[in-house]
């Protein structure tokens, strides 16, 4: 049964209704998403050839770190020679080797504007070199070659930077700083009906965060503040941020769909936090910024601030795009089948060397000799 469209755009709904509608959209992202995420997962298994199991689950694939011997006498060899990784690293080096230089442009030719532009260039260079932006951008570019796309989430964090002072009842005040969070493409949800990534009006990034960091960042309202905003009926008050954060990761909060090889850490302090941004459009004139922990756990729900308006704070690096879709594409995926063929050829050659490079012992079939007794030695050939 087709879902009936709402009369009101979901970004203009009240916070509780919006969160449930968004939850539905990103847990049922459409038939295109599943094979796309599976292809990204396969690409990462091939790129990180030494870790096909454990990190990505037990796939049964060979590892480039060890030789896998199979068969009753251990003479059938499975091996992986990760040529595909070397190809991607060479391509990444070719693209990222030229150093970037950041230059701020003056808005006019007067001396004060020129001086401001010079200072702006220095700030940009400092953030790029010393704020880990360069390192994370280069890493994101490499991941984009492998998985098609990768994202950097840039947000202003008031709890970052140098400590300024201690305020009684509030704690430590910080200078604040711009933080950059890497986000894999399979953890970024978008409108599946968009004909290109740039046409998707909204994005939602799923990011693992420390529960206690969120508790320190989001302050509970006082009873007086709650009464002033929601009335005197306490039963109608929404849950406080501390309650939402402490209960995150239990029950239905765990069910956000994992569309790729993101490892699930068994860490009680780490929970999924979802950053939602909507462009300023005719249907959502003020835009939207929301921070959610689940369908009924909204920490922020405000109009999109000016500093996040254009471009959106979720910056995409993509090796290429699939036409008429919001999905990325990379030529590395074309290399995966060839890599499988190379692995099979190398495994066959290794099997022949192991099988016929050792002494072969022929014995009557009823002799009390088993292949296990000859392990790592001669090969038993019963007759």
């Amino acid at each position: 049964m087709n879902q009936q469209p709402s009369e009101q755009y979901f970004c203009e709904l009240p916070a509780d209704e919006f969160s449930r509608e968004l939850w539905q959209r990103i847990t049922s992202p459409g038939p295109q998403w599943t094979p796309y995420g599976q292809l990204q997962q396969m690409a990462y298994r091939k790129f990180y050839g030494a870790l096909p199991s454990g990190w990505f689950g037990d796939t049964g694939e060979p590892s480039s770190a060890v030789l896998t011997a199979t068969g009753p006498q251990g003479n059938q060899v499975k091996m992986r020679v990760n040529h595909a990784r070397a190809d991607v690293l060479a391509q990444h080096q070719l693209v990222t080797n030229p150093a970037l230089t950041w230059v701020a442009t003056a808005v006019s030719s007067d001396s004060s504007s020129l001086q401001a532009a010079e200072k702006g260039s220095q700030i940009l260079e400092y953030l790029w070199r010393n704020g880990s932006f360069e390192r994370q951008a280069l890493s994101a570019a490499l991941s984009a070659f492998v998985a098609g796309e990768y994202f950097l989430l840039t947000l202003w964090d008031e709890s970052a930077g140098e400590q300024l002072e201690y305020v009684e009842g509030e704690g430590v005040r910080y200078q604040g700083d711009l933080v950059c969070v890497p986000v894999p493409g399979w953890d970024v949800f978008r409108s599946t009906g968009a004909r290109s990534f740039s046409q998707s009006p909204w994005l939602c990034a799923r990011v693992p965060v420390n529960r206690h960091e969120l508790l320190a960042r989001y302050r509970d309202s006082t009873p007086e503040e709650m009464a002033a905003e929601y009335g005197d009926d306490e039963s109608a008050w929404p849950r406080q941020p501390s309650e939402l954060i402490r209960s995150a990761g239990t029950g239905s909060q765990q069910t956000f769909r994992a569309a790729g090889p993101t490892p699930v850490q068994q860490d009680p302090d780490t929970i999924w936090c979802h950053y939602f941004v909507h462009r300023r459009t005719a249907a959502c004139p003020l835009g939207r910024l929301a921070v959610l922990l689940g369908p009924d756990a909204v920490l922020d729900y405000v109009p999109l601030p000016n500093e996040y308006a254009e471009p959106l704070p979720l910056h995409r690096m993509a090796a290429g795009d699939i036409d008429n879709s919001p999905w990325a594409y990379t030529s590395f995926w074309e290399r995966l089948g060839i890599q499988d063929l190379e692995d099979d050829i190398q495994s066959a050659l290794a099997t022949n060397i192991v099988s016929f490079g050792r002494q072969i012992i022929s014995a009557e079939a009823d002799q009390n000799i088993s292949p296990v007794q000859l392990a790592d030695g001669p090969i038993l050939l019963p007759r």
Side-chain angles (χ1 to χ4, degrees):
M1 180 182 295
N2 294 330
Q3 184 178 359
Q4 294 297 321
S6 173
E7 295 183 0
Q8 189 175 4
Y9 191 42
F10 80 108
C11 280
E12 296 293 303
L13 294 171
D16 56 342
E17 297 180 37
F18 158 80
S19 62
R20 288 190 287 270
E21 174 66 22
L22 176 64
W23 180 277
Q24 176 65 28
R25 290 173 185 242
I26 65 179
T27 54
S28 303
Q32 307 96 330
W33 183 262
T34 299
Y36 182 74
Q38 291 174 345
L39 186 55
Q40 289 182 318
Q41 183 174 2
M42 182 191 304
Y44 263 77
R45 288 203 306 269
K46 295 291 191 284
F47 184 71
Y48 294 103
L51 301 168
S53 298
W55 188 264
F56 301 107
D58 187 9
T59 62
E61 297 185 19
S63 166
S64 59
V66 295
L67 293 180
T68 303
T70 61
Q73 301 190 44
N75 63 318
Q76 297 177 10
V77 177
K78 286 286 188 179
M79 64 181 301
R80 168 172 291 171
V81 181
N82 200 354
H83 292 156
R85 177 181 176 87
D87 292 345
V88 170
L89 292 176
Q91 189 177 11
H92 175 259
Q93 182 68 19
L94 182 65
V95 171
T96 61
N97 188 51
L100 293 177
T101 301
W102 296 92
V103 178
T105 303
V107 296
S108 64
S109 59
D110 62 87
S111 59
S112 61
S113 180
L114 293 174
Q115 291 176 0
E118 184 179 354
K119 291 181 180 179
S121 298
Q122 295 173 356
I123 293 174
L124 289 172
E125 281 293 328
Y126 176 83
L127 290 174
W128 178 249
R129 303 293 180 188
N130 303 313
S132 77
F133 286 94
E134 181 180 28
R135 174 181 55 81
Q136 296 201 56
L138 294 177
S139 177
L142 177 60
S143 297
F145 279 121
V146 176
E149 63 182 359
Y150 210 79
F151 292 81
L152 294 176
L153 177 64
T154 54
L155 298 171
W156 181 260
D157 188 354
E158 294 182 353
S159 63
E162 298 180 1
Q163 295 184 3
L164 296 179
E165 59 181 343
Y166 178 83
V167 179
E168 189 69 29
E170 295 184 15
V172 179
R173 284 186 178 178
Y174 293 85
Q175 184 180 17
D177 201 355
L178 188 66
V179 295
C180 182
V181 181
V183 186
W186 55 83
D187 281 335
V188 176
F189 302 92
R190 65 209 76 178
S191 173
T192 56
R195 290 299 182 178
S196 68
F197 178 82
S198 61
Q199 289 185 1
S200 178
W202 60 268
L203 302 171
C204 183
R206 180 179 60 177
V207 179
V209 298
N210 185 281
R211 184 193 309 271
H212 299 281
E213 291 293 333
L214 286 179
L215 287 171
R217 192 176 304 164
Y218 287 94
R219 180 183 65 87
D220 284 350
S221 301
T222 64
E224 292 76 16
E225 292 172 336
M226 296 290 286
E229 185 171 358
Y230 301 104
D232 295 329
D233 184 6
E234 296 186 11
S235 63
W237 292 358
R239 292 190 295 168
Q240 294 275 28
S242 61
E243 182 184 355
L244 297 176
I245 295 170
R246 294 185 189 280
S247 63
T250 60
S252 64
Q253 307 288 344
Q254 304 179 48
T255 59
F256 260 106
R257 183 174 180 273
T262 300
V264 178
Q265 302 291 342
Q266 300 300 321
D267 181 2
D269 292 334
T270 302
I271 58 177
W272 290 115
C273 188
H274 301 78
Y275 294 89
F276 174 90
V277 287
H278 194 292
R279 305 179 191 275
R280 292 174 176 172
T281 64
C284 187
L286 299 179
R288 180 65 65 193
L289 172 65
V291 181
L292 309 91
L293 301 179
D296 299 302
V298 182
L299 296 178
D300 273 332
Y301 189 66
V302 297
L304 187 66
N306 290 331
E307 58 267 27
Y308 296 150
E310 288 296 339
L312 293 177
L314 201 54
H315 307 280
R316 180 182 187 237
M317 289 191 179
D321 288 298
I322 301 176
D323 287 344
N324 296 317
S325 81
W327 316 114
Y329 197 84
T330 172
S331 59
F332 178 68
W333 295 344
E334 311 284 357
R335 186 72 171 79
L336 300 182
I338 300 175
Q339 179 64 64
D340 285 340
L341 177 60
E342 290 179 344
D343 293 342
D344 288 344
I345 293 174
Q346 296 290 347
S347 298
L349 291 175
T351 297
N352 288 337
I353 293 173
V354 171
S355 298
F356 299 105
R358 293 186 291 177
Q359 184 178 6
I360 299 177
I361 296 179
S362 177
E364 295 293 338
D366 58 353
Q367 295 294 317
N368 191 23
I369 302 176
S370 68
V372 176
Q373 293 175 285
L374 301 176
D376 297 326
I379 296 177
L380 176 64
L381 183 64
R383 67 175 186 267

PDB file of all heavy atoms in Angstrom, residues 10 17-29 251-257 274 292-297:
ATOM      1  N   PHE A  10       7.151  17.715   5.794  1.00  0.00           N
ATOM      2  CA  PHE A  10       7.582  17.124   7.061  1.00  0.00           C
ATOM      3  C   PHE A  10       8.546  18.018   7.829  1.00  0.00           C
ATOM      4  O   PHE A  10       8.615  17.951   9.055  1.00  0.00           O
ATOM      5  CB  PHE A  10       8.197  15.735   6.810  1.00  0.00           C
ATOM      6  CG  PHE A  10       9.620  15.739   6.315  1.00  0.00           C
ATOM      7  CD1 PHE A  10      10.654  15.353   7.148  1.00  0.00           C
ATOM      8  CD2 PHE A  10       9.932  16.115   5.015  1.00  0.00           C
ATOM      9  CE1 PHE A  10      11.963  15.334   6.706  1.00  0.00           C
ATOM     10  CE2 PHE A  10      11.237  16.097   4.565  1.00  0.00           C
ATOM     11  CZ  PHE A  10      12.260  15.709   5.406  1.00  0.00           C
ATOM     12  N   GLU A  17       6.525  15.124  15.535  1.00  0.00           N
ATOM     13  CA  GLU A  17       6.016  14.540  14.291  1.00  0.00           C
ATOM     14  C   GLU A  17       7.116  14.497  13.224  1.00  0.00           C
ATOM     15  O   GLU A  17       7.213  13.535  12.459  1.00  0.00           O
ATOM     16  CB  GLU A  17       4.819  15.344  13.789  1.00  0.00           C
ATOM     17  CG  GLU A  17       3.627  15.350  14.721  1.00  0.00           C
ATOM     18  CD  GLU A  17       2.476  16.158  14.162  1.00  0.00           C
ATOM     19  OE1 GLU A  17       2.274  16.122  12.925  1.00  0.00           O
ATOM     20  OE2 GLU A  17       1.775  16.843  14.938  1.00  0.00           O
ATOM     21  N   PHE A  18       7.924  15.538  13.171  1.00  0.00           N
ATOM     22  CA  PHE A  18       9.031  15.560  12.217  1.00  0.00           C
ATOM     23  C   PHE A  18       9.979  14.391  12.457  1.00  0.00           C
ATOM     24  O   PHE A  18      10.401  13.717  11.501  1.00  0.00           O
ATOM     25  CB  PHE A  18       9.795  16.878  12.341  1.00  0.00           C
ATOM     26  CG  PHE A  18      11.204  16.817  11.833  1.00  0.00           C
ATOM     27  CD1 PHE A  18      11.476  16.907  10.475  1.00  0.00           C
ATOM     28  CD2 PHE A  18      12.269  16.654  12.718  1.00  0.00           C
ATOM     29  CE1 PHE A  18      12.781  16.837  10.004  1.00  0.00           C
ATOM     30  CE2 PHE A  18      13.569  16.588  12.254  1.00  0.00           C
ATOM     31  CZ  PHE A  18      13.828  16.678  10.898  1.00  0.00           C
ATOM     32  N   SER A  19      10.360  14.155  13.706  1.00  0.00           N
ATOM     33  CA  SER A  19      11.333  13.109  14.000  1.00  0.00           C
ATOM     34  C   SER A  19      10.815  11.737  13.595  1.00  0.00           C
ATOM     35  O   SER A  19      11.569  10.914  13.054  1.00  0.00           O
ATOM     36  CB  SER A  19      11.694  13.128  15.491  1.00  0.00           C
ATOM     37  OG  SER A  19      10.564  12.856  16.293  1.00  0.00           O
ATOM     38  N   ARG A  20       9.537  11.464  13.806  1.00  0.00           N
ATOM     39  CA  ARG A  20       8.986  10.165  13.413  1.00  0.00           C
ATOM     40  C   ARG A  20       8.915  10.033  11.889  1.00  0.00           C
ATOM     41  O   ARG A  20       9.161   8.955  11.332  1.00  0.00           O
ATOM     42  CB  ARG A  20       7.604   9.977  14.041  1.00  0.00           C
ATOM     43  CG  ARG A  20       7.660   9.732  15.553  1.00  0.00           C
ATOM     44  CD  ARG A  20       6.311   9.310  16.099  1.00  0.00           C
ATOM     45  NE  ARG A  20       5.371  10.424  16.136  1.00  0.00           N
ATOM     46  CZ  ARG A  20       5.216  11.240  17.162  1.00  0.00           C
ATOM     47  NH1 ARG A  20       5.966  11.075  18.241  1.00  0.00           N
ATOM     48  NH2 ARG A  20       4.335  12.216  17.139  1.00  0.00           N
ATOM     49  N   GLU A  21       8.590  11.142  11.204  1.00  0.00           N
ATOM     50  CA  GLU A  21       8.554  11.104   9.737  1.00  0.00           C
ATOM     51  C   GLU A  21       9.956  10.900   9.165  1.00  0.00           C
ATOM     52  O   GLU A  21      10.150  10.122   8.224  1.00  0.00           O
ATOM     53  CB  GLU A  21       7.945  12.400   9.213  1.00  0.00           C
ATOM     54  CG  GLU A  21       7.988  12.552   7.696  1.00  0.00           C
ATOM     55  CD  GLU A  21       7.123  11.548   6.965  1.00  0.00           C
ATOM     56  OE1 GLU A  21       6.180  10.997   7.581  1.00  0.00           O
ATOM     57  OE2 GLU A  21       7.391  11.297   5.771  1.00  0.00           O
ATOM     58  N   LEU A  22      10.933  11.590   9.729  1.00  0.00           N
ATOM     59  CA  LEU A  22      12.311  11.424   9.256  1.00  0.00           C
ATOM     60  C   LEU A  22      12.794  10.011   9.513  1.00  0.00           C
ATOM     61  O   LEU A  22      13.465   9.408   8.657  1.00  0.00           O
ATOM     62  CB  LEU A  22      13.227  12.429   9.952  1.00  0.00           C
ATOM     63  CG  LEU A  22      14.720  12.304   9.607  1.00  0.00           C
ATOM     64  CD1 LEU A  22      14.965  12.603   8.132  1.00  0.00           C
ATOM     65  CD2 LEU A  22      15.562  13.218  10.493  1.00  0.00           C
ATOM     66  N   TRP A  23      12.464   9.482  10.683  1.00  0.00           N
ATOM     67  CA  TRP A  23      12.849   8.110  11.009  1.00  0.00           C
ATOM     68  C   TRP A  23      12.332   7.132   9.957  1.00  0.00           C
ATOM     69  O   TRP A  23      13.043   6.223   9.522  1.00  0.00           O
ATOM     70  CB  TRP A  23      12.295   7.772  12.396  1.00  0.00           C
ATOM     71  CG  TRP A  23      12.600   6.392  12.884  1.00  0.00           C
ATOM     72  CD1 TRP A  23      11.922   5.240  12.599  1.00  0.00           C
ATOM     73  CD2 TRP A  23      13.664   6.015  13.756  1.00  0.00           C
ATOM     74  NE1 TRP A  23      12.481   4.161  13.239  1.00  0.00           N
ATOM     75  CE2 TRP A  23      13.557   4.617  13.958  1.00  0.00           C
ATOM     76  CE3 TRP A  23      14.675   6.726  14.392  1.00  0.00           C
ATOM     77  CZ2 TRP A  23      14.438   3.924  14.772  1.00  0.00           C
ATOM     78  CZ3 TRP A  23      15.558   6.022  15.211  1.00  0.00           C
ATOM     79  CH2 TRP A  23      15.432   4.644  15.387  1.00  0.00           C
ATOM     80  N   GLN A  24      11.095   7.321   9.547  1.00  0.00           N
ATOM     81  CA  GLN A  24      10.509   6.456   8.528  1.00  0.00           C
ATOM     82  C   GLN A  24      11.266   6.575   7.212  1.00  0.00           C
ATOM     83  O   GLN A  24      11.500   5.581   6.520  1.00  0.00           O
ATOM     84  CB  GLN A  24       9.031   6.815   8.332  1.00  0.00           C
ATOM     85  CG  GLN A  24       8.327   6.050   7.219  1.00  0.00           C
ATOM     86  CD  GLN A  24       8.237   4.562   7.507  1.00  0.00           C
ATOM     87  OE1 GLN A  24       8.210   4.159   8.667  1.00  0.00           O
ATOM     88  NE2 GLN A  24       8.193   3.757   6.465  1.00  0.00           N
ATOM     89  N   ARG A  25      11.663   7.772   6.862  1.00  0.00           N
ATOM     90  CA  ARG A  25      12.338   7.984   5.578  1.00  0.00           C
ATOM     91  C   ARG A  25      13.732   7.366   5.551  1.00  0.00           C
ATOM     92  O   ARG A  25      14.144   6.829   4.517  1.00  0.00           O
ATOM     93  CB  ARG A  25      12.436   9.488   5.280  1.00  0.00           C
ATOM     94  CG  ARG A  25      11.092  10.124   4.946  1.00  0.00           C
ATOM     95  CD  ARG A  25      11.212  11.629   4.830  1.00  0.00           C
ATOM     96  NE  ARG A  25       9.901  12.239   4.617  1.00  0.00           N
ATOM     97  CZ  ARG A  25       9.573  12.933   3.530  1.00  0.00           C
ATOM     98  NH1 ARG A  25      10.456  13.109   2.574  1.00  0.00           N
ATOM     99  NH2 ARG A  25       8.365  13.446   3.409  1.00  0.00           N
ATOM    100  N   ILE A  26      14.463   7.436   6.639  1.00  0.00           N
ATOM    101  CA  ILE A  26      15.842   6.946   6.605  1.00  0.00           C
ATOM    102  C   ILE A  26      15.965   5.492   7.021  1.00  0.00           C
ATOM    103  O   ILE A  26      17.024   4.891   6.828  1.00  0.00           O
ATOM    104  CB  ILE A  26      16.779   7.820   7.469  1.00  0.00           C
ATOM    105  CG1 ILE A  26      16.413   7.727   8.949  1.00  0.00           C
ATOM    106  CG2 ILE A  26      16.772   9.257   7.003  1.00  0.00           C
ATOM    107  CD1 ILE A  26      17.324   8.554   9.841  1.00  0.00           C
ATOM    108  N   THR A  27      14.912   4.911   7.574  1.00  0.00           N
ATOM    109  CA  THR A  27      14.931   3.469   7.828  1.00  0.00           C
ATOM    110  C   THR A  27      14.303   2.691   6.680  1.00  0.00           C
ATOM    111  O   THR A  27      14.422   1.471   6.631  1.00  0.00           O
ATOM    112  CB  THR A  27      14.197   3.126   9.140  1.00  0.00           C
ATOM    113  OG1 THR A  27      12.882   3.686   9.115  1.00  0.00           O
ATOM    114  CG2 THR A  27      14.955   3.670  10.333  1.00  0.00           C
ATOM    115  N   SER A  28      13.648   3.386   5.766  1.00  0.00           N
ATOM    116  CA  SER A  28      13.100   2.760   4.557  1.00  0.00           C
ATOM    117  C   SER A  28      13.508   3.622   3.363  1.00  0.00           C
ATOM    118  O   SER A  28      12.681   4.272   2.723  1.00  0.00           O
ATOM    119  CB  SER A  28      11.571   2.653   4.639  1.00  0.00           C
ATOM    120  OG  SER A  28      11.168   1.942   5.784  1.00  0.00           O
ATOM    121  N   PRO A  29      14.821   3.636   3.039  1.00  0.00           N
ATOM    122  CA  PRO A  29      15.307   4.611   2.067  1.00  0.00           C
ATOM    123  C   PRO A  29      15.029   4.272   0.613  1.00  0.00           C
ATOM    124  O   PRO A  29      15.371   5.048  -0.252  1.00  0.00           O
ATOM    125  CB  PRO A  29      16.820   4.607   2.330  1.00  0.00           C
ATOM    126  CG  PRO A  29      17.105   3.239   2.849  1.00  0.00           C
ATOM    127  CD  PRO A  29      15.893   2.827   3.621  1.00  0.00           C
ATOM    128  N   GLY A 251      16.404  -0.247  23.397  1.00  0.00           N
ATOM    129  CA  GLY A 251      15.111  -0.461  22.758  1.00  0.00           C
ATOM    130  C   GLY A 251      15.127  -0.080  21.296  1.00  0.00           C
ATOM    131  O   GLY A 251      16.030  -0.430  20.541  1.00  0.00           O
ATOM    132  N   SER A 252      14.126   0.694  20.872  1.00  0.00           N
ATOM    133  CA  SER A 252      13.988   1.061  19.461  1.00  0.00           C
ATOM    134  C   SER A 252      15.078   2.003  19.003  1.00  0.00           C
ATOM    135  O   SER A 252      15.264   2.202  17.804  1.00  0.00           O
ATOM    136  CB  SER A 252      12.622   1.711  19.231  1.00  0.00           C
ATOM    137  OG  SER A 252      12.519   2.920  19.954  1.00  0.00           O
ATOM    138  N   GLN A 253      15.831   2.586  19.940  1.00  0.00           N
ATOM    139  CA  GLN A 253      16.868   3.528  19.536  1.00  0.00           C
ATOM    140  C   GLN A 253      17.980   2.832  18.751  1.00  0.00           C
ATOM    141  O   GLN A 253      18.781   3.477  18.099  1.00  0.00           O
ATOM    142  CB  GLN A 253      17.465   4.199  20.787  1.00  0.00           C
ATOM    143  CG  GLN A 253      16.439   4.832  21.716  1.00  0.00           C
ATOM    144  CD  GLN A 253      15.854   6.098  21.129  1.00  0.00           C
ATOM    145  OE1 GLN A 253      16.400   6.647  20.194  1.00  0.00           O
ATOM    146  NE2 GLN A 253      14.749   6.554  21.668  1.00  0.00           N
ATOM    147  N   GLN A 254      18.055   1.488  18.835  1.00  0.00           N
ATOM    148  CA  GLN A 254      19.134   0.777  18.170  1.00  0.00           C
ATOM    149  C   GLN A 254      18.845   0.498  16.702  1.00  0.00           C
ATOM    150  O   GLN A 254      19.724   0.044  15.986  1.00  0.00           O
ATOM    151  CB  GLN A 254      19.382  -0.567  18.870  1.00  0.00           C
ATOM    152  CG  GLN A 254      19.682  -0.450  20.358  1.00  0.00           C
ATOM    153  CD  GLN A 254      19.878  -1.817  20.966  1.00  0.00           C
ATOM    154  OE1 GLN A 254      20.597  -2.651  20.446  1.00  0.00           O
ATOM    155  NE2 GLN A 254      19.208  -2.058  22.075  1.00  0.00           N
ATOM    156  N   THR A 255      17.633   0.750  16.248  1.00  0.00           N
ATOM    157  CA  THR A 255      17.187   0.192  14.979  1.00  0.00           C
ATOM    158  C   THR A 255      17.480   1.061  13.772  1.00  0.00           C
ATOM    159  O   THR A 255      16.958   0.797  12.707  1.00  0.00           O
ATOM    160  CB  THR A 255      15.678  -0.098  15.023  1.00  0.00           C
ATOM    161  OG1 THR A 255      14.976   1.120  15.297  1.00  0.00           O
ATOM    162  CG2 THR A 255      15.357  -1.112  16.095  1.00  0.00           C
ATOM    163  N   PHE A 256      18.287   2.095  13.898  1.00  0.00           N
ATOM    164  CA  PHE A 256      18.651   2.840  12.700  1.00  0.00           C
ATOM    165  C   PHE A 256      19.386   1.920  11.741  1.00  0.00           C
ATOM    166  O   PHE A 256      20.293   1.184  12.123  1.00  0.00           O
ATOM    167  CB  PHE A 256      19.540   4.034  13.054  1.00  0.00           C
ATOM    168  CG  PHE A 256      18.767   5.322  13.112  1.00  0.00           C
ATOM    169  CD1 PHE A 256      18.466   5.928  14.315  1.00  0.00           C
ATOM    170  CD2 PHE A 256      18.345   5.929  11.951  1.00  0.00           C
ATOM    171  CE1 PHE A 256      17.760   7.117  14.366  1.00  0.00           C
ATOM    172  CE2 PHE A 256      17.636   7.119  11.987  1.00  0.00           C
ATOM    173  CZ  PHE A 256      17.346   7.709  13.197  1.00  0.00           C
ATOM    174  N   ARG A 257      19.007   1.966  10.493  1.00  0.00           N
ATOM    175  CA  ARG A 257      19.482   1.015   9.499  1.00  0.00           C
ATOM    176  C   ARG A 257      20.948   1.249   9.158  1.00  0.00           C
ATOM    177  O   ARG A 257      21.359   2.344   8.815  1.00  0.00           O
ATOM    178  CB  ARG A 257      18.640   1.161   8.228  1.00  0.00           C
ATOM    179  CG  ARG A 257      18.974   0.187   7.125  1.00  0.00           C
ATOM    180  CD  ARG A 257      17.964   0.361   5.999  1.00  0.00           C
ATOM    181  NE  ARG A 257      18.219  -0.544   4.913  1.00  0.00           N
ATOM    182  CZ  ARG A 257      19.052  -0.271   3.933  1.00  0.00           C
ATOM    183  NH1 ARG A 257      19.699   0.853   3.909  1.00  0.00           N
ATOM    184  NH2 ARG A 257      19.234  -1.126   2.944  1.00  0.00           N
ATOM    185  N   HIS A 274      22.237  11.943  15.014  1.00  0.00           N
ATOM    186  CA  HIS A 274      21.863  12.239  13.631  1.00  0.00           C
ATOM    187  C   HIS A 274      21.714  13.748  13.451  1.00  0.00           C
ATOM    188  O   HIS A 274      20.927  14.386  14.147  1.00  0.00           O
ATOM    189  CB  HIS A 274      20.561  11.524  13.268  1.00  0.00           C
ATOM    190  CG  HIS A 274      20.649  10.030  13.419  1.00  0.00           C
ATOM    191  ND1 HIS A 274      20.571   9.414  14.647  1.00  0.00           N
ATOM    192  CD2 HIS A 274      20.835   9.054  12.504  1.00  0.00           C
ATOM    193  CE1 HIS A 274      20.698   8.118  14.483  1.00  0.00           C
ATOM    194  NE2 HIS A 274      20.857   7.869  13.197  1.00  0.00           N
ATOM    195  N   LEU A 292      19.106  14.642  16.358  1.00  0.00           N
ATOM    196  CA  LEU A 292      18.226  13.604  16.879  1.00  0.00           C
ATOM    197  C   LEU A 292      19.029  12.404  17.352  1.00  0.00           C
ATOM    198  O   LEU A 292      20.104  12.109  16.818  1.00  0.00           O
ATOM    199  CB  LEU A 292      17.229  13.134  15.815  1.00  0.00           C
ATOM    200  CG  LEU A 292      16.403  14.164  15.048  1.00  0.00           C
ATOM    201  CD1 LEU A 292      17.115  14.600  13.779  1.00  0.00           C
ATOM    202  CD2 LEU A 292      15.041  13.586  14.701  1.00  0.00           C
ATOM    203  N   LEU A 293      18.472  11.700  18.322  1.00  0.00           N
ATOM    204  CA  LEU A 293      19.022  10.430  18.775  1.00  0.00           C
ATOM    205  C   LEU A 293      18.108   9.262  18.411  1.00  0.00           C
ATOM    206  O   LEU A 293      18.499   8.109  18.547  1.00  0.00           O
ATOM    207  CB  LEU A 293      19.225  10.452  20.298  1.00  0.00           C
ATOM    208  CG  LEU A 293      20.144  11.547  20.832  1.00  0.00           C
ATOM    209  CD1 LEU A 293      20.225  11.472  22.349  1.00  0.00           C
ATOM    210  CD2 LEU A 293      21.532  11.460  20.224  1.00  0.00           C
ATOM    211  N   GLY A 294      16.892   9.570  17.979  1.00  0.00           N
ATOM    212  CA  GLY A 294      15.931   8.544  17.634  1.00  0.00           C
ATOM    213  C   GLY A 294      14.616   9.171  17.229  1.00  0.00           C
ATOM    214  O   GLY A 294      14.487  10.399  17.163  1.00  0.00           O
ATOM    215  N   PRO A 295      13.584   8.359  16.946  1.00  0.00           N
ATOM    216  CA  PRO A 295      12.309   8.900  16.452  1.00  0.00           C
ATOM    217  C   PRO A 295      11.583   9.749  17.471  1.00  0.00           C
ATOM    218  O   PRO A 295      10.737  10.565  17.105  1.00  0.00           O
ATOM    219  CB  PRO A 295      11.511   7.644  16.096  1.00  0.00           C
ATOM    220  CG  PRO A 295      12.099   6.572  16.951  1.00  0.00           C
ATOM    221  CD  PRO A 295      13.553   6.895  17.075  1.00  0.00           C
ATOM    222  N   ASP A 296      11.892   9.581  18.744  1.00  0.00           N
ATOM    223  CA  ASP A 296      11.243  10.373  19.787  1.00  0.00           C
ATOM    224  C   ASP A 296      12.276  11.047  20.690  1.00  0.00           C
ATOM    225  O   ASP A 296      12.015  11.272  21.874  1.00  0.00           O
ATOM    226  CB  ASP A 296      10.321   9.482  20.630  1.00  0.00           C
ATOM    227  CG  ASP A 296       9.210   8.848  19.799  1.00  0.00           C
ATOM    228  OD1 ASP A 296       8.443   9.605  19.177  1.00  0.00           O
ATOM    229  OD2 ASP A 296       9.141   7.609  19.753  1.00  0.00           O
ATOM    230  N   ALA A 297      13.423  11.350  20.119  1.00  0.00           N
ATOM    231  CA  ALA A 297      14.504  11.945  20.913  1.00  0.00           C
ATOM    232  C   ALA A 297      15.149  13.063  20.097  1.00  0.00           C
ATOM    233  O   ALA A 297      16.094  12.827  19.343  1.00  0.00           O
ATOM    234  CB  ALA A 297      15.535  10.890  21.301  1.00  0.00           C
TER     235      ALA A 297
END
